[in-house]
Amino acid sequence: VQLQASGGGLVQAGGSLRLSCAASGFTLRYYAIGWFRQAPGKEREGVSCISSYGGSTYYADSVKGRFTISRDNAKNTVYLQMNALKPEDTAVYYCAAPTERLWVPPLVFDSTAYHHWGQGTQVTVSS
């Protein structure tokens, strides 16, 4: 089971990026996927989550209205479209999956509920 996050980069405030989370070794459509981020000196925080077939999506208040999570199960990939980026969005972004199929963690941004993690992709937003 492997998750690969990509798409990070350097962008000016107000700009956009699209992150991708590709899976190998398992069929992504059976699993909820969460996006988390960790800024230097801060704890990891949940950003967004999408249920296994995309019927439910969840967002942290800090990104609601600016970020959109989606999935293309045919491509075994989940996306995080990030618009209107702010300097405070600067962090390493990780995608993660729980072990259980067809299950969304009751606390969707509880990182301990996710057992498969990608390596992270750096997002830097300049002011």
Side-chain angles (χ1 to χ4, degrees):
V1 175
Q2 193 169 16
L3 296 172
Q4 178 85 23
S6 62
L10 173 64
V11 64
Q12 288 188 332
S16 298
L17 284 172
R18 188 178 79 159
L19 305 184
S20 298
C21 177
S24 60
F26 72 112
T27 304
L28 195 67
R29 66 175 177 268
Y30 295 131
Y31 296 88
I33 296 294
W35 281 98
F36 292 79
R37 66 187 182 187
Q38 187 165 19
K42 294 188 177 182
E43 292 187 357
R44 187 171 297 185
E45 63 172 350
V47 175
S48 186
C49 175
I50 188 166
S51 60
S52 54
Y53 283 90
S56 298
T57 56
Y58 308 85
Y59 298 94
D61 288 342
S62 59
V63 306
K64 206 169 289 185
R66 300 188 298 122
F67 290 12
T68 303
I69 192 169
S70 63
R71 64 192 307 151
D72 185 338
N73 287 333
K75 294 183 178 179
N76 227 27
T77 302
V78 169
Y79 303 99
L80 185 68
Q81 178 67 43
M82 306 187 297
N83 298 330
L85 283 162
K86 304 175 181 180
E88 51 263 44
D89 295 318
T90 295
V92 178
Y93 284 70
Y94 301 88
C95 59
T99 299
E100 295 80 1
R101 294 171 50 157
L102 305 177
W103 178 74
V104 176
L107 299 176
V108 294
F109 297 139
D110 176 6
S111 63
T112 64
Y114 296 81
H115 299 98
H116 305 295
W117 290 82
Q119 86 292 355
T121 185
Q122 176 70 47
V123 171
T124 303
V125 184
S126 63
S127 56

